[in-house]
Amino acid sequence: MTASSIAPARPHWSSRLMFVFAASGSAVGLGNIWKFPYIVGENGGGAFVLLYLACLIGLGAPLLIGEVFVGRKGGEFPASAFLRVAREKAMSRLWGGLGALGAIIALMILAFYSVVSGWVGIYTVDFAQAVLGGDAARSGADAFSAMLADPTLQLSAVTAIVVTAGLVIYYDVTGGIQSVMRYVAPLFVVLLVAMLVMVAATTGKLGEAFTYMFQPDFSALSVDAFGEALGHAFFTLSVGMCGMLIYGAYLDDEANIPRLGISVALLDTAIAIAAALIIFPIVFAFNLESNGGPGLLFIALPQGFTLLPNGDLFGLGFFTATLLAAFSSLIALMIIARHWLEETLNVSGSSATLMAAGATWIGGAAVTLSMTVWDSISILGLSLFDFLDQATSSWLLPISGLGMAIFVSRAIVPDMPEGPVKIYLRAGLTYIAPLGIVVLIWSKAVGF
Ligand code: PFF
């Protein structure tokens, strides 16, 4: 990373825009393109979108802003950052545990994130081959199941992605992120907008998708939908796992964190909605299942692409954009793990990078094998994949989010200048987040 002239002692982003690019590179990922559309489909559309937006505004964005503040004050090492800020405020050392919890959640997410990124890689290569005149790209449920049943193919994809991500990080963390994001972010947005326009023009179903996404039908909502919306608000903004803290560490003291944070949250939300507005017109045009769950992206969408004129090109564009988004998020997650291993084990950055990449690969390999050769093994009745997904999104992220909300509302918010931003953060972090998360955890534990 380039050292800024503002504070030579600490590296800084070369520009504020670079912060927004890098933080969005972390935030925009499989959560936006793979998960958001399928949970909207599973929860009946508009009412869920509204609930999700409320969670983003009420809890997600305030937490994002809070995490960035902690990073700027405490530095780029998760546990030390919380410790340093806590010490300054004469708060307990135990708050350092939030950094460790965040990093452990990141490692758990990495195990399945690397696998789904691998699937995206496999589909991207498939569509590229189809465009170049090779075999037709895989499409439909059978092709997806065949891929899931092939450990060698999945392991190769996980290995390729994890090794590439490890190399990017190994050769200078933030410099790596900046140079990757400088090209990836604009390319991604161009691809996505092009896809949106082409899909709208070819299917003629954009209006229907709009109605589905924005006309609330509250009868389709369940209590579980609240948990899903809340957990996903954290996941998509990379908060609750120190994803944003690290980027805050490289911000200069003059940067307007609330404004930058809101920009990242808006961009992330716009991209999730754009992805859904690409997927649902295809689903409606070809009468595919909108509630197809995690397979929506890999089963329904390629089926739609094969029915569209120039479908292979659509497929290649879409899966390339998704791969870019997944890759930059994977790097961001691995950087959290690297920093935490570095501070905890007191090893060099390069060793910590190797360890983070190794841990990701082992996790990814275990998830892959648990779907194939070890498929008889289950944890609490769930596959390893579902266990990691549910444990992080439904339990650990809300718990660490609650801790961070309490911490930021005590350690950061009181020092902020009076005004609407302080009122917003106080409302979100002191009242809405704790109340929402406690109700969520209670409803899950007791069930109502
Ligand atoms: N926000 C990413 C997504 O929506 O796919 C996931 C993620 C990336 C979480 C990086 C945390 C993180 F640090």
Side-chain angles (χ1 to χ4, degrees):
M1 115 163 308
T2 49
S4 145
S5 55
I6 303 170
R10 210 172 63 167
H12 284 126
W13 299 111
S14 56
S15 69
R16 306 256 163 84
L17 187 64
M18 210 30 96
F19 167 83
V20 175
F21 272 9
S24 308
S26 163
V28 175
L30 293 171
N32 305 60
I33 305 177
W34 166 64
K35 200 162 177 187
F36 177 67
Y38 92 68
I39 56 177
V40 170
E42 280 182 338
N43 289 287
F48 180 79
V49 174
L50 212 61
L51 190 63
Y52 169 72
L53 292 177
C55 288
L56 279 179
I57 297 169
L59 293 83
L63 264 173
L64 190 162
I65 295 168
E67 254 195 59
V68 177
F69 267 112
V70 174
R72 181 165 72 180
K73 261 191 142 179
E76 74 269 44
F77 294 104
S80 318
F82 279 100
L83 256 181
R84 186 171 303 159
V85 177
R87 198 174 295 139
E88 205 177 280
K89 292 282 161 194
M91 291 165 72
S92 161
R93 288 179 58 83
L94 289 177
W95 287 107
L98 279 179
L101 177 61
I104 291 167
I105 297 175
L107 277 166
M108 290 172 71
I109 290 177
L110 274 166
F112 67 87
Y113 211 89
S114 58
V115 174
V116 182
S117 305
W119 298 346
V120 176
I122 292 169
Y123 274 75
T124 310
V125 171
D126 249 32
F127 274 104
Q129 280 172 344
V131 167
L132 294 173
D135 291 344
R138 67 187 72 227
S139 123
D142 290 346
F144 184 59
S145 306
M147 182 191 71
L148 292 188
D150 185 343
T152 318
L153 178 65
Q154 291 186 76
L155 269 180
S156 315
V158 168
T159 308
I161 284 192
V162 173
V163 168
T164 316
L167 286 173
V168 169
I169 302 172
Y170 191 87
Y171 292 104
D172 187 2
V173 186
T174 43
I177 279 275
Q178 287 202 93
S179 49
V180 171
M181 289 316 296
R182 179 168 289 136
Y183 302 106
V184 165
L187 181 65
F188 174 79
V189 172
V190 168
L191 269 176
L192 209 67
V193 172
M195 292 292 305
L196 189 60
V197 172
M198 289 194 292
V199 167
T202 340
T203 61
K205 295 282 182 183
L206 187 63
E208 202 177 311
F210 239 93
T211 311
Y212 178 70
M213 296 263 307
F214 297 111
Q215 204 173 67
D217 165 14
F218 288 100
S219 64
L221 272 190
S222 65
V223 179
D224 284 349
F226 175 56
E228 188 100 74
L230 188 82
H232 191 63
F234 290 158
F235 184 83
T236 192
L237 292 181
S238 308
V239 299
M241 40 205 143
C242 308
M244 288 295 152
L245 175 149
I246 292 184
Y247 295 148
Y250 307 118
L251 270 179
D252 59 90
D253 291 341
E254 272 73 50
N256 183 335
I257 292 181
R259 185 181 299 159
L260 292 174
I262 298 277
S263 315
V264 174
L266 282 176
L267 210 71
D268 184 79
T269 309
I271 287 175
I273 289 174
L277 289 177
I278 291 173
I279 292 176
F280 286 120
I282 296 181
V283 167
F284 295 145
F286 301 113
N287 287 324
L288 306 169
E289 294 279 335
S290 65
N291 60 352
L296 186 63
L297 190 75
F298 299 100
I299 298 174
L301 204 62
Q303 264 176 337
F305 286 141
T306 56
L307 300 170
L308 285 175
N310 297 319
D312 289 340
L313 213 54
F314 278 88
L316 180 59
F318 189 83
F319 278 100
T320 306
T322 309
L323 187 63
L324 292 175
F327 185 67
S328 56
S329 295
L330 191 84
I331 289 185
L333 280 160
M334 275 170 60
I335 289 177
I336 303 173
R338 167 200 148 132
H339 281 198
W340 179 63
L341 290 167
E342 202 175 332
E343 64 177 342
T344 310
L345 304 178
N346 209 5
V347 292
S348 70
S350 325
S351 312
T353 302
L354 288 178
M355 288 180 194
T360 305
W361 187 83
I362 292 173
V367 169
T368 303
L369 294 176
S370 75
M371 290 184 297
T372 51
V373 281
W374 297 342
D375 62 356
S376 54
I377 299 176
S378 67
I379 305 174
L380 302 174
L382 297 169
S383 68
L384 181 59
F385 188 121
D386 290 339
F387 170 78
L388 289 168
D389 182 16
Q390 290 189 20
T392 49
S393 263
S394 305
W395 291 97
L396 295 173
L397 277 178
I399 290 171
S400 78
L402 176 62
M404 287 186 190
I406 296 171
F407 182 79
V408 174
S409 70
R410 288 174 55 190
I412 305 276
V413 177
D415 293 345
M416 294 180 72
E418 296 301 328
V421 174
K422 184 169 182 170
I423 294 173
Y424 170 52
L425 290 187
R426 174 168 290 146
L429 298 171
T430 315
Y431 302 105
I432 303 175
L435 191 72
I437 297 170
V438 167
V439 169
L440 169 72
I441 295 175
W442 184 267
S443 76
K444 286 203 171 288
V446 182
F448 59 73

